[in-house]
Structure formats: structure tokens, C-alpha cells
Amino acid sequence: MGRVYNFAAGPAAMPLGALEAAAAELTDFRGAGVSVMEMPHRSGAYRAIFDETIGLIRELMGVPDHYRVLLAQGGATLQFAAVPLNLLGRGADYVDSGYFAHSALSEAMKYGAARSAASTRDQGYRRAPEGSEADVDPNADYVHVTTNNTIYGTRIPSLPPGRGVPIVADMSSNILSEAYDVRDFGVIYAGAQKNIGPAGLTVIIVREDLLGRARRETPKAMDWKAMDEAGSMLNTPPTFAVYMAGLCLKWLKARGGVEAIQRENLEKSRLLYDCLDRSERFVPYADAGSRSRMNVTFRTESDAGDERFAAEAERAGLVNLRGHRLTGGIRASLYNAMPLEGVRALVEFMEEYERRG
Ligand code: PMP
């Protein structure tokens, strides 16, 4: 079987060029006689790979000098605990815009006074709160947002007013897909397995003045200052995942970077939402004002109809369209590596499916 259009929510499609580059040097990395997987992480050859990946993140996201870029393991989920351990003193505010936002809040509540400053939970997370809806305490240590809600298919339309309170953002499912000004945030973190590279790697971007506030009991491997001082090598990093991320980031750079991919992503999502809005059979889940550009969620007339659609799409080479187990329905994830042709193929399939009845 050849390559198919993979609409998975994460781990997700990766650029074919990056996979091919890795395949070509899998057993012998550029004449070293060993695979990247076999290199000691502190060797000069590996350091160059590691530093290049960090440099690409800085360049593509325009990370200012007074922010540190850390690479870690444990996924975004570990950062749900690392954020309060590193920052929570008096209290923290959370924008509860979806399942992962809620999980981040629940985790923080274990460590101190974390509270919901805005929530759309009772609306089935069909929309994400506007920033201005968040009742941010000016004395809070931080306000936490989830910029894109992977399961429900929503995107926060705006950030809460800073009021001097650092914004901490879980950007797992839309990092590098649209331009953000890093200066608007105190901390950005993301699991890699959607828009950065393979699973196993987590990127954390921290403003320097927020380092050094961790509680005494913070595990060293979660303490951002200790991680920074060790150059993200307190222990063995996920060496191959970092290398693969570097290949994906080079691909993104060659495509014109974040602003160019943002235009493509807008076009891709518009194409699919236009199809949903024309349809009499497919019903979009997210409210129009909160639509995600990365995860497009919709339904047919029934659960059985959703299953039939996903199964038939799979036979047509359009795979991983089933929604999250919590919500059911259909979800098409359109991360950076999903080409426009893949979305066109999906839209054509949906139109044909609707005509067939
Ligand atoms: N936050 C968001 C927005 C996510 O989409 C996910 C995973 N899909 C997570 C957090 C959890 O990430 P991980 O599996 O890397 O811990």
C-alpha cells in the first residue's frame, strides 16, 4: 500500500520529505557509520543535531533572546504538573476550554489555589471563551490557556488581557501552524506529535524571569531552571525524536516558515468548513466563532452513520477520521504536514458520499 492521507489527531502525519531524509541516513548518519539513535547524547556530532533543532524552533517562532527553549520528555501532560510546580504560589487562573484545559486545571489544583477563570464546559465545549470573558485576578501567578482544543475542534479566538499576569499556553495542537508573538506569553509548551515531530518530545519556551521560582519539592527533571542550566540534558534526551523534529522544522522553513504555512492552513480549513456549511448531511460541531484550523469536528445523522463514513473513507485512502473516544463523531486533523490535496480529496469524497445518500 502506498501513502494515504492521514487525518490523525496525533501522533499525526509528518512531511514525507522528512521521513525520507531520515530513512536515507537511518543506518549511517552522514558518514558517521552509526545511526543517530546510536549516538551518545553528549557527543559533538549529536550536540550539533540538538542545537540545530533548538535553533530552528527559535528562528521559526521568532523566540526573543530573553526566552529559553527547553526540550523535555513526558508530553504536555507532564507540563500540566510542571506548570504549577514551577510557578504556582498565591494562585493561578485557568481558561477551561476543553478536555485538556480541564485536565491542566485539575492537575494544578493538587498543588494550590488554581481556579477556572472562564469555562465553556456546560456548553459541551462547542465554543472556546473569548479572552475578555476570563476573569483574571491581577494578583494571579499566571493565567493558563489552551490555544487549540484538539478533541472538540475549537481555537481560542483571543487571549485574556495580560494585566501583567503571565500567560501560560498549552499550544500542543497548533504550535507552528499560525503566527503567535512569543512576547505575549510567559510560557509556551507543546507535545511534539502534531506539528513538531514524533511523540516523545516536549517543547517548553519560558521567559527568563519565570525561571527559579520552582517549589522545593519539584522533581529536578521538571524544574525548568535546572533543565535550562543543564542545556536540556539533565538526563538522556529523546535523541531520535529531537533529530526527527529537526528534519520536520527544516521542511517547514523550506516551505516559507510559519506565515506561509498559516496561509495554507487557513485555506485548508476554509475548504472543509465551506463543505460542511453547504452540506445537508454533515453537521459541524464547533460554533462558527471558535472553529479550529487544525481539528475539524463534525457528525452525520447518527453514530452508526459516523462509523460508516469513517470506514468508507478509509477504503478510499482517507484514514484516521474517527473522532476522539470521548466525543465520537468525525474529526479531520489538518496539521502542517497535511497537503491541500489531501483536504481536496476529503471534500470530494464527502460530496460524493452525500450525493450517494
Ligand atoms: N494538550 C493538548 C491540547 C493536546 O491535544 C494533548 C494531546 N493530544 C495534550 C495536551 C496531551 O499531550 P501529551 O499526550 O503529549 O501528554
Side-chain angles (χ1 to χ4, degrees), residues 9-10 74-78 80 100-101 146 148-151 170-173 189-194 202 335:
T77 305
L78 196 71
F80 292 169
F100 292 110
T146 309
N148 185 79
N149 301 285
T150 326
I151 294 179
D170 174 0
M171 271 196 199
S172 291
S173 53
Y189 65 93
Q193 64 273 21
K194 301 158 200 306
T202 315
Y335 301 120

mmCIF file of all heavy atoms in Angstrom, residues 9-10 74-78 80 100-101 146 148-151 170-173 189-194 202 335, ligand 1:
data_model
loop_
_atom_site.group_PDB
_atom_site.id
_atom_site.type_symbol
_atom_site.label_atom_id
_atom_site.label_comp_id
_atom_site.label_asym_id
_atom_site.label_seq_id
_atom_site.Cartn_x
_atom_site.Cartn_y
_atom_site.Cartn_z
ATOM 1 N N ALA A 9 -5.157 12.794 14.770
ATOM 2 C CA ALA A 9 -5.033 13.968 15.647
ATOM 3 C C ALA A 9 -3.690 14.006 16.370
ATOM 4 O O ALA A 9 -3.338 15.002 16.987
ATOM 5 C CB ALA A 9 -6.170 13.971 16.652
ATOM 6 N N GLY A 10 -2.947 12.945 16.341
ATOM 7 C CA GLY A 10 -1.622 12.938 16.965
ATOM 8 C C GLY A 10 -1.417 11.683 17.782
ATOM 9 O O GLY A 10 -2.288 11.369 18.579
ATOM 10 N N GLY A 74 7.900 13.402 28.483
ATOM 11 C CA GLY A 74 6.729 13.405 29.367
ATOM 12 C C GLY A 74 5.479 14.023 28.768
ATOM 13 O O GLY A 74 4.421 13.982 29.387
ATOM 14 N N GLY A 75 5.592 14.601 27.590
ATOM 15 C CA GLY A 75 4.411 15.131 26.917
ATOM 16 C C GLY A 75 3.869 16.391 27.590
ATOM 17 O O GLY A 75 4.384 16.847 28.622
ATOM 18 N N ALA A 76 2.827 16.925 26.985
ATOM 19 C CA ALA A 76 2.186 18.104 27.565
ATOM 20 C C ALA A 76 1.601 17.750 28.928
ATOM 21 O O ALA A 76 1.540 18.590 29.829
ATOM 22 C CB ALA A 76 1.093 18.603 26.628
ATOM 23 N N THR A 77 1.216 16.483 29.088
ATOM 24 C CA THR A 77 0.600 16.066 30.349
ATOM 25 C C THR A 77 1.538 16.274 31.533
ATOM 26 O O THR A 77 1.094 16.673 32.612
ATOM 27 C CB THR A 77 0.193 14.574 30.249
ATOM 28 O OG1 THR A 77 -0.645 14.438 29.107
ATOM 29 C CG2 THR A 77 -0.550 14.110 31.478
ATOM 30 N N LEU A 78 2.811 16.014 31.361
ATOM 31 C CA LEU A 78 3.742 16.245 32.470
ATOM 32 C C LEU A 78 3.837 17.740 32.773
ATOM 33 O O LEU A 78 3.978 18.140 33.930
ATOM 34 C CB LEU A 78 5.130 15.671 32.162
ATOM 35 C CG LEU A 78 6.014 15.542 33.412
ATOM 36 C CD1 LEU A 78 5.520 14.430 34.324
ATOM 37 C CD2 LEU A 78 7.463 15.304 33.049
ATOM 38 N N PHE A 80 1.403 19.757 32.643
ATOM 39 C CA PHE A 80 0.227 20.141 33.438
ATOM 40 C C PHE A 80 0.619 20.216 34.922
ATOM 41 O O PHE A 80 0.094 21.047 35.671
ATOM 42 C CB PHE A 80 -0.918 19.122 33.287
ATOM 43 C CG PHE A 80 -1.562 19.075 31.924
ATOM 44 C CD1 PHE A 80 -2.452 18.046 31.603
ATOM 45 C CD2 PHE A 80 -1.301 20.049 30.968
ATOM 46 C CE1 PHE A 80 -3.068 17.988 30.363
ATOM 47 C CE2 PHE A 80 -1.916 20.001 29.712
ATOM 48 C CZ PHE A 80 -2.794 18.966 29.413
ATOM 49 N N PHE A 100 -8.385 18.953 27.631
ATOM 50 C CA PHE A 100 -7.009 19.074 28.116
ATOM 51 C C PHE A 100 -6.844 20.306 29.003
ATOM 52 O O PHE A 100 -6.080 20.282 29.970
ATOM 53 C CB PHE A 100 -6.010 19.077 26.947
ATOM 54 C CG PHE A 100 -5.951 17.749 26.249
ATOM 55 C CD1 PHE A 100 -6.452 17.598 24.962
ATOM 56 C CD2 PHE A 100 -5.426 16.633 26.879
ATOM 57 C CE1 PHE A 100 -6.417 16.363 24.321
ATOM 58 C CE2 PHE A 100 -5.392 15.398 26.255
ATOM 59 C CZ PHE A 100 -5.891 15.264 24.963
ATOM 60 N N ALA A 101 -7.575 21.370 28.688
ATOM 61 C CA ALA A 101 -7.551 22.570 29.535
ATOM 62 C C ALA A 101 -8.047 22.198 30.930
ATOM 63 O O ALA A 101 -7.467 22.589 31.947
ATOM 64 C CB ALA A 101 -8.429 23.657 28.913
ATOM 65 N N THR A 146 -5.360 27.131 26.610
ATOM 66 C CA THR A 146 -5.080 26.072 25.644
ATOM 67 C C THR A 146 -5.475 26.669 24.299
ATOM 68 O O THR A 146 -6.661 26.914 24.059
ATOM 69 C CB THR A 146 -5.930 24.825 25.963
ATOM 70 O OG1 THR A 146 -5.749 24.507 27.343
ATOM 71 C CG2 THR A 146 -5.536 23.635 25.098
ATOM 72 N N ASN A 148 -5.549 25.714 21.233
ATOM 73 C CA ASN A 148 -6.377 24.920 20.313
ATOM 74 C C ASN A 148 -6.837 23.664 21.043
ATOM 75 O O ASN A 148 -6.026 22.974 21.670
ATOM 76 C CB ASN A 148 -5.566 24.538 19.070
ATOM 77 C CG ASN A 148 -6.408 23.832 18.030
ATOM 78 O OD1 ASN A 148 -7.156 24.449 17.284
ATOM 79 N ND2 ASN A 148 -6.309 22.503 17.978
ATOM 80 N N ASN A 149 -8.135 23.414 20.973
ATOM 81 C CA ASN A 149 -8.713 22.292 21.712
ATOM 82 C C ASN A 149 -8.937 21.123 20.757
ATOM 83 O O ASN A 149 -9.920 21.090 20.004
ATOM 84 C CB ASN A 149 -9.994 22.773 22.398
ATOM 85 C CG ASN A 149 -9.690 23.929 23.328
ATOM 86 O OD1 ASN A 149 -9.144 23.730 24.406
ATOM 87 N ND2 ASN A 149 -9.971 25.141 22.877
ATOM 88 N N THR A 150 -8.010 20.204 20.826
ATOM 89 C CA THR A 150 -7.853 19.126 19.857
ATOM 90 C C THR A 150 -9.083 18.233 19.727
ATOM 91 O O THR A 150 -9.408 17.766 18.638
ATOM 92 C CB THR A 150 -6.661 18.245 20.311
ATOM 93 O OG1 THR A 150 -5.682 19.083 20.926
ATOM 94 C CG2 THR A 150 -6.043 17.504 19.157
ATOM 95 N N ILE A 151 -9.751 17.978 20.840
ATOM 96 C CA ILE A 151 -10.841 16.997 20.835
ATOM 97 C C ILE A 151 -12.130 17.608 20.279
ATOM 98 O O ILE A 151 -12.810 17.000 19.450
ATOM 99 C CB ILE A 151 -11.061 16.443 22.261
ATOM 100 C CG1 ILE A 151 -9.811 15.652 22.672
ATOM 101 C CG2 ILE A 151 -12.340 15.605 22.332
ATOM 102 C CD1 ILE A 151 -9.870 15.065 24.058
ATOM 103 N N ASP A 170 -0.741 26.112 26.610
ATOM 104 C CA ASP A 170 -0.581 24.782 26.028
ATOM 105 C C ASP A 170 -0.899 24.943 24.538
ATOM 106 O O ASP A 170 -2.039 25.152 24.161
ATOM 107 C CB ASP A 170 -1.562 23.809 26.700
ATOM 108 C CG ASP A 170 -1.559 22.433 26.037
ATOM 109 O OD1 ASP A 170 -0.802 22.222 25.066
ATOM 110 O OD2 ASP A 170 -2.333 21.564 26.494
ATOM 111 N N MET A 171 0.149 24.876 23.719
ATOM 112 C CA MET A 171 -0.021 25.042 22.266
ATOM 113 C C MET A 171 0.149 23.711 21.530
ATOM 114 O O MET A 171 0.501 23.684 20.353
ATOM 115 C CB MET A 171 1.020 26.028 21.718
ATOM 116 C CG MET A 171 0.596 27.449 21.748
ATOM 117 S SD MET A 171 1.642 28.465 20.688
ATOM 118 C CE MET A 171 1.274 30.057 21.390
ATOM 119 N N SER A 172 -0.095 22.604 22.244
ATOM 120 C CA SER A 172 0.217 21.295 21.667
ATOM 121 C C SER A 172 -0.331 21.112 20.258
ATOM 122 O O SER A 172 0.338 20.546 19.404
ATOM 123 C CB SER A 172 -0.339 20.180 22.556
ATOM 124 O OG SER A 172 0.374 20.132 23.767
ATOM 125 N N SER A 173 -1.573 21.562 20.019
ATOM 126 C CA SER A 173 -2.145 21.208 18.724
ATOM 127 C C SER A 173 -2.212 22.350 17.724
ATOM 128 O O SER A 173 -2.785 22.170 16.648
ATOM 129 C CB SER A 173 -3.516 20.538 18.897
ATOM 130 O OG SER A 173 -4.368 21.312 19.680
ATOM 131 N N TYR A 189 4.126 25.732 25.952
ATOM 132 C CA TYR A 189 4.607 24.343 25.902
ATOM 133 C C TYR A 189 3.755 23.537 24.940
ATOM 134 O O TYR A 189 2.607 23.901 24.639
ATOM 135 C CB TYR A 189 4.638 23.698 27.296
ATOM 136 C CG TYR A 189 3.283 23.515 27.951
ATOM 137 C CD1 TYR A 189 2.581 22.312 27.812
ATOM 138 C CD2 TYR A 189 2.714 24.521 28.711
ATOM 139 C CE1 TYR A 189 1.346 22.131 28.428
ATOM 140 C CE2 TYR A 189 1.477 24.354 29.319
ATOM 141 C CZ TYR A 189 0.802 23.162 29.180
ATOM 142 O OH TYR A 189 -0.420 22.991 29.778
ATOM 143 N N ALA A 190 4.344 22.458 24.422
ATOM 144 C CA ALA A 190 3.629 21.639 23.438
ATOM 145 C C ALA A 190 4.254 20.265 23.330
ATOM 146 O O ALA A 190 5.487 20.145 23.275
ATOM 147 C CB ALA A 190 3.676 22.314 22.061
ATOM 148 N N GLY A 191 3.403 19.253 23.300
ATOM 149 C CA GLY A 191 3.873 17.924 22.911
ATOM 150 C C GLY A 191 4.170 17.991 21.415
ATOM 151 O O GLY A 191 3.503 18.714 20.673
ATOM 152 N N ALA A 192 5.157 17.234 20.963
ATOM 153 C CA ALA A 192 5.630 17.402 19.584
ATOM 154 C C ALA A 192 4.785 16.713 18.527
ATOM 155 O O ALA A 192 4.870 17.045 17.347
ATOM 156 C CB ALA A 192 7.068 16.886 19.487
ATOM 157 N N GLN A 193 3.958 15.767 18.950
ATOM 158 C CA GLN A 193 3.439 14.772 17.994
ATOM 159 C C GLN A 193 2.342 15.237 17.036
ATOM 160 O O GLN A 193 1.664 14.425 16.428
ATOM 161 C CB GLN A 193 2.968 13.528 18.766
ATOM 162 C CG GLN A 193 1.807 13.746 19.719
ATOM 163 C CD GLN A 193 2.229 14.188 21.107
ATOM 164 O OE1 GLN A 193 3.306 14.689 21.303
ATOM 165 N NE2 GLN A 193 1.360 14.000 22.084
ATOM 166 N N LYS A 194 2.192 16.565 16.907
ATOM 167 C CA LYS A 194 1.221 17.065 15.924
ATOM 168 C C LYS A 194 1.932 17.916 14.877
ATOM 169 O O LYS A 194 1.972 17.569 13.706
ATOM 170 C CB LYS A 194 0.113 17.850 16.624
ATOM 171 C CG LYS A 194 -0.625 16.969 17.639
ATOM 172 C CD LYS A 194 -1.328 17.770 18.683
ATOM 173 C CE LYS A 194 -1.663 16.999 19.930
ATOM 174 N NZ LYS A 194 -2.415 15.781 19.750
ATOM 175 N N THR A 202 8.852 17.072 24.096
ATOM 176 C CA THR A 202 8.018 18.205 24.503
ATOM 177 C C THR A 202 8.864 19.468 24.403
ATOM 178 O O THR A 202 10.019 19.462 24.821
ATOM 179 C CB THR A 202 7.567 18.035 25.979
ATOM 180 O OG1 THR A 202 7.138 16.696 26.165
ATOM 181 C CG2 THR A 202 6.448 18.988 26.331
ATOM 182 N N TYR A 335 -3.022 19.215 10.278
ATOM 183 C CA TYR A 335 -1.781 19.845 10.724
ATOM 184 C C TYR A 335 -0.929 20.239 9.513
ATOM 185 O O TYR A 335 -1.260 19.922 8.367
ATOM 186 C CB TYR A 335 -1.014 18.897 11.650
ATOM 187 C CG TYR A 335 -1.805 18.513 12.876
ATOM 188 C CD1 TYR A 335 -2.120 17.183 13.145
ATOM 189 C CD2 TYR A 335 -2.247 19.484 13.781
ATOM 190 C CE1 TYR A 335 -2.848 16.830 14.273
ATOM 191 C CE2 TYR A 335 -2.977 19.139 14.909
ATOM 192 C CZ TYR A 335 -3.275 17.813 15.151
ATOM 193 O OH TYR A 335 -3.999 17.474 16.261
HETATM 194 N N1 PMP B 1 -2.910 19.330 25.334
HETATM 195 C C1 PMP B 1 -3.473 19.253 24.119
HETATM 196 C C2 PMP B 1 -4.092 20.477 23.525
HETATM 197 C C3 PMP B 1 -3.457 18.033 23.432
HETATM 198 O O1 PMP B 1 -4.021 17.934 22.229
HETATM 199 C C4 PMP B 1 -2.852 16.901 24.027
HETATM 200 C C5 PMP B 1 -2.771 15.556 23.350
HETATM 201 N N2 PMP B 1 -3.471 15.304 22.280
HETATM 202 C C6 PMP B 1 -2.315 17.028 25.301
HETATM 203 C C7 PMP B 1 -2.335 18.260 25.912
HETATM 204 C C8 PMP B 1 -1.672 15.862 25.975
HETATM 205 O O2 PMP B 1 -0.459 15.705 25.379
HETATM 206 P P1 PMP B 1 0.541 14.502 25.635
HETATM 207 O O3 PMP B 1 -0.110 13.291 25.136
HETATM 208 O O4 PMP B 1 1.738 14.955 24.860
HETATM 209 O O5 PMP B 1 0.803 14.467 27.096
#
